[in-house]
Amino acid sequence: MSTAYQEDISSQVLRRMKEGGFDFARIHPIEFYAVFPDEERARRAAGQFRGESLNAQVSPRDDGAWYLELSKVMYATYGGIDDFEHDFGAVVEPLGGVIEGWGVKHPIRALN
């Protein structure tokens, strides 16, 4: 996927988050996703990311591929997400993985 395309998606997601009242002043676990052809490569990628603010989960998919969800506690800024996505890609892609984007869990406000 081209970087320009990813940047457009990230901009759109961040804009929608702002419109939804997301608290950008706080740190949040931002989740980055990748898919690998086998468990061994997914676990090798996960092992490259260690630290207090990181959490990696590897799980099988129904189609036989393996899913890596890497959560990094950080501010949800375009620059921070973009920088980490580049670092993530530098590990994932040489191992045959494909990046599937990023996301953040955000509580939905009750409608009155």
Side-chain angles (χ1 to χ4, degrees):
M1 189 177 299
S2 78
T3 303
Y5 181 70
Q6 277 298 102
E7 290 171 352
D8 289 341
I9 290 173
S10 290
S11 293
Q12 291 172 12
V13 170
L14 289 166
R15 191 174 313 110
R16 287 194 343 235
M17 289 166 57
K18 183 177 181 180
E19 291 166 358
F22 187 83
D23 184 359
F24 287 95
R26 292 183 355 161
I27 59 172
H28 298 273
I30 310 293
E31 294 154 358
F32 297 85
Y33 308 102
V35 175
F36 290 86
D38 57 56
E39 180 181 10
E40 190 269 329
R41 287 187 255 189
R43 292 202 182 278
R44 278 188 18 210
Q48 297 296 311
F49 296 96
R50 298 186 188 271
E52 274 184 33
S53 63
L54 295 168
N55 180 32
Q57 305 266 334
V58 174
S59 58
R61 290 180 13 153
D62 291 339
D63 64 1
W66 284 78
Y67 200 56
L68 169 61
E69 178 182 318
L70 182 71
S71 180
K72 178 174 174 48
V73 177
M74 60 190 286
Y75 289 100
T77 65
Y78 184 85
I81 290 168
D82 186 55
D83 288 347
F84 191 78
E85 251 184 336
H86 284 274
D87 295 343
F88 192 52
V91 171
V92 166
E93 291 166 3
L95 293 171
V98 176
I99 294 176
E100 289 210 325
W102 63 271
V104 61
K105 293 181 175 104
H106 178 57
I108 297 173
R109 292 182 179 176
L111 298 174
N112 295 328

